[in-house]
Amino acid sequence: MGTLRDHFDVVVIGSGAGGAPIAYELARESKSVLVLEKGPLLRTQEERGAGRLSDFKRDEMFNAGPERIITTPGMVNTGASFFTSHVEPDLNDEPHVFTNVDRPQDGSKITIEGYTAQVVGGGTQLYGAVSLRFAERDFKLKSANEGRKLQGDPNRDALKHVIDWPFDYDDLEPYYAKAEYLIGLNGTVAGQAKRFSKDSYQTPRPPNPISEFARVGMGKLGLRTYRTPLAVITEDHAPSDRKAGDPKVGYVNRYGDPLGYKSNTWVSLLRPTIREGHDLELRPNCVVTHLEASGRTISKIHYRDASGRPCMVTGKVVVVACSAIESVRLLMLSAEEDRSSFGSLVRYQEDGSLLGRFFLTHAFGGAEVQIKGQRFDKSISLDSDYATDSCASQDFLDAHGLWAGGAIYNNTSDQCLPITMARTEGDTDLDFFWGGFMSAQDHTSEAALQWLSAAFGARLSAAFMANQVPRFENRIELHPDVRDKWNRKCGHIIKNFHPHDEQVMSAFAEVCRQIMAAGVPEYTELGWGSVYGNAVRIANHILGGARFAQTRELGVLNTNCRIWDIDNLYVTDGAFMPTSGGANPTLTIQANAFRVADHLKQI
Amino acid sequence: MFAAVVQKEPDYVLSHCAKYLARDNADERHSFFGSDAGQARARISEPWRFPIVDADDSGATDASEWNHVTFIYRAPDDRPDISVQLLTPCLGLHAPAALNPVDDSLYLALTLRIPKGRRHRYRFIVNGHAQLDPINPQTMTTPQYEIWSSFWTWTYNEPINLERWEMALVRRMTNALLPFQGRETRNLIERGLNDGNVTHFFRMDIPAGVANYIDNILAREERHHLHSYRLCLPMIDRVLRKRHPSVEPVNVSDPDYKALFDDMKNRSPKLIEDGWDPATYDSPGYFLYVLRRHTWTGAFSHPKYGGNPGGLGWAFLGETFRTTADPTKTAFDWTRAVEAPLGKSTEYRG
Ligand SMILES: Cc1cc2nc3c(=O)[nH]c(=O)nc-3n(C[C@H](O)[C@H](O)[C@H](O)COP(=O)(O)OP(=O)(O)OC[C@H]3O[C@@H](n4cnc5c(N)ncnc54)[C@H](O)[C@@H]3O)c2cc1C
């Protein structure tokens, strides 16, 4: 191997939703771009060559197979099991610690977030690919709530830290359109409440017939439906030179796609850019350990190579996109390496510093029904078939006294495979691990068959994804004691929901319940709920912690996602979001990254 | 020879190594509760992944009969030019083969093409000295009492850790746990909803496969549960013998196993009276859960893990559950997604 290049115009750290669009755009502007990615490059079949195999598999054991045990000492869940996929972080090597900000007396635990992946493509390799735009109102939640009185806000402080995004929907709209086109989505515009300048969706495949109950239920409640936009190609996709095939195989959420139909950022953005000969170099298996500043610029990026040896590169522009917790952590670790220089540039641990503050996830939950007397082949599915925006309308919010709305969609592929079905038994969290199965000890032999007979191909769920109230106290810090495999301090998430989040979640869970009750003629079980008060999973989506704002008093980043006092350092993963939006976040992270890339082209 | 050397891309090796082997920590956070204490592998995660046993992806027509096994040695930071050879009977003990540096990394690697269903021993010769693989925890002892590192390829079906009586008991229990045996299933078969031949095989082969899967997982991924099996199986044997003095435990009836499972679940005084010693293992219910989880996972995971031979666990679901709209159609058409020759996907190769 020749000597590695060590200087680039742009260095992007993290190859997922926030990083890849920047690399794509700037390499095509004739910049030299390096992407440093901690995880491996797992290729599709086609990349491996004729007759050869992908490193991703249709194999339930790849998703969450063998049990591992948390060994970090002194945690509430030391000794507990965890089940992660082959490309999620090992929780003993790279844990995140969680403490409930309102109940520190409960102790700390290692979190099992599940909503990230360490692989080229990041979370977009494993994601369900639900790719909704945020509602127009989501960008202006401070202004939209002026003078409104909310339900379930006993201290009248739910809106205290809410800020508007520094731009509105119309400003981001062209980038949504661009992301939809370049990434490769299927779905329908008709039925969506948002304004579209362009319809780039590919035609969705016919829905799984079980989803009809959800569509009917939504319809009976007067909710307008549309086919859920999914980042999966159903037709040949020219921008990424991908051929369509049969993507509806049930191995969807939590699986990397061996055939590359799922539009992860590797197959949709990075791979075509490299294939077309642009100056984009990808270094997988390389973890960035810290950044070094001189004056107001980042002068060096320190990383470990695949063997663990220290290396260094420089870039005129540096983009951090490691997924919010890890990006904030990288900034904090860099600050601890050099408090006087880097530390003061990011205002690390200064009074009033916002670095790490306003960590966000989503208000999330849903309802699940067991349909009586009807069975479907749920394995012929993608993640979702129908969605509705109707619960983001002003009327809905006024009727329920809510600050912000969200999207509701049905899940189609959940519980379609037998191990996942047992693993997620008895819980509204689709990624739940064996807890329900553990307590269903009677499910042996005939009873197991009866359980299967009632549930197999007969379960349908609807999920909601709504804005979570930003709290100043919800934050990411470095944990003083717990270290990763590089002996670096781990991320510490200190967080809880606001009481108004409960109001939001119970209103949405009730709508999901009604959708199921109205849509399904006869059922044997109907459950509904939310993540409120349930600390199994700390974050369903990992957002905030370095929010952008119009002024440095209000945010860590400026409008272009640049750290205010560093001339060449940008953060473009979900960390920038000041509010979490009423939908799954990835398309918005991608659209914003395309927007930032346009800015970077100017400089 | 049983094996042939094949070339693998450097990317492949680096992408399978970095997460597990690249690190600075000196603490033993992966010691499997002390069983690897004091050894280098106690510091690295998932050492059971090594050597890397993967599909043969050469595209050859008989590829589904073979595995690619990649042996890894990580050179010390200060000695990247170390010489490492693989000594294994499957290449011939007179012909050690060199592990080669992977690009400019510290990893040395060698990939062999080896038939499925085999277990082999090996050692590394490092700068002229034979030693065990410092990463892989698996060993085997030869009749001459020599300890060698060992590995096995997919669908290997000889006991590795459990003794034969333990395997037989596990097999019997998994048979009583799985839904393939009950009256309901028999009714379904009698009602003619299933292909009689296939259902016959379910009862024949899946429990044996699942027991084999459990033995494998206790040797590799879930080594931390081996001890529980070692403690609990003798107590289950004892309880069954006390309850059914004239019947071998493997011949005890399904309802009697159901009674045992209920007692385990409830930690009933009767169980303790009959020979379960809480001082040895306090939570029979937890062991039952682990056994159930292993059983379920074994029966329905990919056949390469050994527990779902020929996809019969999936076929059971597919045969038993039909769509309401068209009862001639299965409600689990697993063959669509899965690679040939096991399944019928025309796109996915496995
Ligand atoms: C199972 C699952 C289902 C999901 N479903 C959906 C869905 O349906 N819709 C939706 O919108 N979202 C979904 N998500 C979430 C979605 O994946 C994330 O929102 C999205 O990927 C976040 O983008 P990001 O850029 O913030 O981070 P990521 O895409 O996670 O990218 C971060 C990258 O940075 C790398 N990295 C981290 N630290 C370092 C370092 N120090 N050095 C080098 N590289 C580093 C990581 O390895 C990773 O590749 C899902 C996620 C999962 C895991």
Side-chain angles (χ1 to χ4, degrees):
Chain A
M1 240 179 108
T3 328
L4 283 178
R5 285 159 80 186
D6 60 5
H7 182 74
F8 295 83
D9 291 329
V10 184
V11 176
V12 178
I13 307 167
S15 62
I22 309 255
Y24 177 95
E25 289 284 81
L26 295 182
R28 283 158 196 270
E29 281 287 299
S30 303
K31 309 276 186 220
S32 58
V33 179
L34 171 69
V35 175
L36 289 168
E37 166 55 52
K38 174 183 196 172
L41 172 59
L42 301 186
R43 295 179 183 277
T44 61
Q45 263 180 202
E46 177 239 317
E47 284 165 61
R48 296 300 303 279
R52 302 192 60 200
L53 309 179
S54 169
D55 298 313
F56 285 117
K57 305 284 179 203
R58 293 177 181 169
D59 177 343
E60 284 203 89
M61 299 301 271
F62 270 52
N63 155 1
E67 179 193 61
R68 286 83 147 182
I69 304 290
I70 293 170
T71 60
T72 309
M75 297 288 129
V76 170
N77 57 351
T78 305
S81 316
F82 67 97
F83 299 82
T84 46
S85 90
H86 58 140
V87 290
E88 285 173 82
D90 179 302
L91 297 190
N92 293 316
D93 275 344
E94 303 177 90
H96 289 160
V97 179
F98 166 76
T99 307
N100 184 330
V101 67
D102 300 318
R103 293 190 55 83
Q105 66 274 25
D106 290 351
S108 297
K109 58 191 233 173
I110 302 298
T111 71
I112 305 173
E113 282 120 21
Y115 274 75
T116 179
Q118 295 181 344
V119 58
V120 172
T124 68
Q125 287 283 10
L126 297 192
Y127 73 160
V130 172
S131 296
L132 304 170
R133 297 181 177 196
F134 285 178
E136 299 182 21
R137 191 177 178 280
D138 286 339
F139 295 84
K140 293 284 163 210
L141 287 177
K142 181 174 167 61
S143 332
N145 279 296
E146 296 295 350
R148 293 183 75 233
K149 199 164 152 256
L150 307 179
Q151 297 287 318
D153 182 18
N155 301 322
R156 299 262 168 275
D157 60 355
L159 299 169
K160 188 169 165 197
H161 293 293
V162 178
I163 59 171
D164 288 345
W165 287 41
F167 49 77
D168 57 25
Y169 178 87
D170 285 346
D171 296 315
L172 196 61
E173 202 283 335
Y175 297 103
Y176 272 135
K178 183 179 217 169
E180 284 160 350
Y181 172 68
L182 291 177
I183 286 162
L185 268 60
N186 76 82
T188 56
V189 170
Q192 298 203 40
K194 292 134 318 201
R195 191 183 64 76
F196 276 69
S197 62
K198 194 171 156 211
D199 179 355
S200 306
Y201 290 141
Q202 297 187 341
T203 308
R205 289 285 156 93
N208 187 294
I210 200 171
S211 302
E212 182 62 8
F213 295 116
R215 194 191 66 79
V216 167
M218 290 178 188
K220 282 190 181 164
L221 298 186
L223 311 175
R224 282 192 78 194
T225 57
Y226 52 94
R227 289 298 303 280
T228 313
L230 298 171
V232 176
I233 56 163
T234 53
E235 299 160 10
D236 292 354
H237 185 245
S240 63
D241 193 23
R242 279 180 292 155
K243 294 257 168 288
D246 177 9
K248 292 184 58 171
V249 290
Y251 293 85
V252 182
N253 193 18
R254 299 188 58 82
Y255 293 90
D257 181 353
L259 302 181
Y261 302 141
K262 192 195 275 187
S263 299
N264 64 71
T265 54
W266 164 244
V267 296
S268 61
L269 298 177
L270 299 177
R271 186 177 76 180
T273 307
I274 293 170
R275 282 185 175 169
E276 288 165 30
H278 299 284
D279 189 359
L280 169 56
E281 183 178 336
L282 170 69
R283 290 188 195 157
N285 302 306
C286 291
V287 59
V288 174
T289 53
H290 60 284
L291 311 174
E292 194 179 318
S294 53
R296 282 176 53 102
T297 49
I298 298 303
S299 51
K300 290 177 184 162
I301 299 142
H302 297 272
Y303 70 96
R304 301 298 193 96
D305 70 9
S307 305
R309 291 173 303 203
C311 304
M312 195 270 296
V313 285
T314 62
K316 290 181 198 152
V317 168
V318 179
V319 177
V320 175
C322 300
S323 176
I325 298 170
E326 284 299 308
S327 287
V328 169
R329 176 172 171 243
L330 180 61
L331 298 179
M332 291 180 167
L333 288 168
S334 307
E336 292 212 338
E337 289 281 333
D338 182 359
R339 282 178 181 267
S340 62
S341 174
F342 193 100
S344 73
L345 291 170
V346 295
R347 303 187 57 207
Y348 180 52
Q349 292 182 330
E350 280 177 22
D351 261 3
S353 165
L354 297 182
L355 181 62
R357 295 280 172 179
F358 307 113
F359 176 66
L360 287 167
T361 73
H362 270 116
F364 166 62
E368 183 183 65
V369 69
Q370 190 160 283
I371 303 165
K372 190 171 171 193
Q374 301 212 44
R375 200 185 304 285
F376 303 85
D377 187 349
K378 287 193 65 172
S379 71
I380 308 175
S381 59
L382 293 174
D383 202 42
S384 172
D385 283 321
Y386 292 106
T388 177
D389 291 344
S390 298
C391 297
S393 70
Q394 195 65 46
D395 286 351
F396 179 84
L397 302 181
D398 288 342
H400 293 85
L402 307 181
W403 76 297
I408 294 179
Y409 53 90
N410 85 296
N411 294 110
T412 314
S413 63
D414 60 311
Q415 306 220 353
C416 74
L417 299 172
I419 298 179
T420 312
M421 196 177 156
R423 176 166 67 69
T424 57
E425 162 69 358
D427 203 274
T428 45
D429 183 338
L430 301 179
D431 298 329
F432 193 68
F433 295 112
W434 297 109
F437 182 88
M438 185 189 286
S439 47
Q441 295 270 48
D442 287 329
H443 285 182
T444 64
S445 194
E446 276 197 47
L449 184 66
Q450 277 159 16
W451 167 69
L452 271 175
S453 189
F456 196 86
R459 288 201 171 159
L460 177 65
S461 64
F464 66 82
M465 202 59 71
N467 279 276
Q468 185 204 332
V469 171
R471 289 179 66 183
F472 179 75
E473 306 78 28
N474 285 349
R475 62 194 188 273
I476 304 160
E477 290 183 350
L478 296 180
H479 196 279
D481 307 319
V482 180
R483 305 241 162 189
D484 71 4
K485 67 173 182 174
W486 307 107
N487 289 324
R488 304 182 312 155
K489 289 180 184 171
C490 288
H492 186 190
I493 301 150
I494 302 162
K495 165 183 182 283
N496 196 11
F497 284 108
H498 185 278
H500 185 63
D501 291 321
E502 182 178 23
Q503 191 74 26
V504 171
M505 289 194 243
S506 49
F508 273 86
E510 173 57 17
V511 176
C512 292
R513 187 195 69 76
Q514 288 177 16
I515 291 171
M516 294 291 127
V520 176
E522 274 192 286
Y523 50 85
T524 49
E525 283 174 19
L526 173 58
W528 65 100
S530 72
V531 291
Y532 190 82
N534 160 6
V536 173
R537 188 173 298 283
I538 308 312
N540 48 17
H541 293 129
I542 297 171
L543 309 167
R547 73 182 188 182
F548 67 176
Q550 302 253 331
T551 66
R552 70 182 64 222
E553 288 68 40
L554 286 175
V556 175
L557 308 175
N558 75 8
T559 310
N560 292 319
C561 287
R562 180 171 66 76
I563 301 263
W564 280 101
D565 292 322
I566 305 184
D567 293 335
N568 66 342
L569 182 59
Y570 294 76
V571 180
T572 58
D573 56 38
F576 76 88
M577 289 195 185
T579 48
S580 51
N584 314 47
T586 306
L587 183 70
T588 303
I589 297 173
Q590 290 164 327
N592 180 63
F594 280 116
R595 183 189 68 86
V596 173
D598 257 5
H599 160 76
L600 290 173
K601 287 182 202 166
Q602 320 297 321
I603 56 174
Chain B
M1 271 321 98
F2 298 110
V5 174
V6 292
Q7 297 306 317
K8 257 341 202 200
E9 296 91 339
D11 256 14
Y12 174 89
V13 176
L14 298 179
S15 286
H16 281 77
C17 290
K19 174 177 173 183
Y20 310 104
L21 304 181
R23 60 186 57 240
D24 283 351
N25 67 296
D27 49 333
E28 300 187 343
R29 55 183 75 177
H30 303 284
S31 78
F32 275 83
F33 301 98
S35 65
D36 290 340
Q39 304 185 51
R41 74 175 65 91
R43 298 204 294 269
I44 65 173
S45 65
E46 307 189 4
W48 52 264
R49 289 187 184 271
F50 298 89
I52 305 157
V53 182
D54 204 345
D56 170 351
D57 84 334
S58 61
T61 44
D62 62 345
S64 63
E65 306 293 319
W66 297 77
N67 281 127
H68 279 181
V69 181
T70 303
F71 298 84
I72 303 290
Y73 190 93
R74 186 184 181 281
D77 292 348
D78 54 352
R79 276 187 299 151
D81 52 356
I82 199 165
S83 132
V84 183
Q85 291 172 303
L86 174 75
L87 183 67
T88 174
C90 56
L91 279 178
L93 284 175
H94 56 282
L99 274 71
N100 297 309
V102 178
D103 278 352
D104 64 347
S105 76
L106 292 173
Y107 304 110
L108 297 124
L110 175 72
T111 302
L112 300 184
R113 184 176 195 249
I114 300 180
K116 285 186 180 169
R118 305 288 173 90
R119 187 180 187 207
H120 293 291
R121 61 192 163 104
Y122 69 101
R123 285 177 175 171
F124 288 147
I125 304 174
V126 180
N127 283 344
H129 300 286
Q131 63 166 66
L132 299 182
D133 183 341
I135 307 171
N136 172 18
Q138 307 303 327
T139 58
M140 63 195 284
T141 307
T142 64
Q144 293 75 36
Y145 300 105
E146 289 172 353
I147 299 178
W148 290 66
S149 290
S150 86
F151 69 93
W152 56 91
T153 51
W154 292 350
T155 66
Y156 178 69
N157 61 10
E158 290 292 316
I160 295 167
N161 272 317
L162 296 180
E163 293 178 23
R164 289 201 181 268
W165 74 267
E166 291 174 314
M167 288 286 279
L169 184 57
V170 169
R171 178 184 168 169
R172 179 66 190 91
M173 282 195 290
T174 60
N175 200 12
L177 287 171
L178 284 167
F180 308 138
Q181 275 288 29
R183 183 165 44 82
E184 284 276 342
T185 315
R186 284 197 294 277
N187 289 345
L188 285 167
I189 298 164
E190 279 155 22
R191 287 208 304 273
L193 288 180
N194 301 291
D195 171 338
N197 286 332
V198 178
T199 31
H200 174 69
F201 278 117
F202 297 141
R203 280 170 289 155
M204 296 304 296
D205 288 349
I206 295 180
V210 170
N212 178 53
Y213 162 88
I214 292 176
D215 180 53
N216 264 249
I217 201 167
L218 294 177
R220 219 152 30 188
E221 295 91 324
E222 296 195 20
R223 271 194 299 150
H224 51 281
H225 283 307
L226 176 61
H227 194 54
S228 309
Y229 276 75
R230 284 263 159 78
L231 295 176
C232 295
L233 292 176
M235 292 197 287
I236 289 169
D237 183 77
R238 190 154 69 218
V239 170
L240 290 170
R241 285 182 193 280
K242 168 112 188 272
R243 290 182 177 185
H244 312 282
S246 54
V247 187
E248 275 301 303
V250 291
N251 295 328
V252 166
S253 72
D254 273 0
D256 288 332
Y257 269 101
K258 173 81 178 119
L260 171 77
F261 297 148
D262 285 344
D263 285 343
M264 288 173 73
K265 175 186 79 173
N266 300 323
R267 201 176 176 278
S268 77
K270 182 84 176 52
L271 184 76
I272 295 166
E273 227 170 78
D274 289 344
W276 187 283
D277 176 13
T280 303
Y281 195 94
D282 190 44
S283 177
Y286 185 73
F287 181 71
L288 177 64
Y289 152 70
V290 172
L291 180 67
R292 285 177 56 233
R293 178 169 64 75
H294 284 164
T295 300
W296 198 271
T297 316
F300 296 114
S301 57
H302 192 282
K304 72 185 181 202
Y305 300 104
N308 173 14
L312 286 175
W314 296 334
F316 165 79
L317 298 174
E319 294 290 323
T320 307
F321 300 121
R322 321 298 292 180
T323 65
T324 319
D326 179 354
T328 65
K329 287 211 171 119
T330 175
F332 186 43
D333 191 358
W334 60 275
T335 57
R336 283 178 68 245
V338 172
E339 72 280 3
L342 181 63
K344 296 188 188 134
S345 175
T346 50
E347 300 182 342
Y348 172 61
R349 291 193 287 265

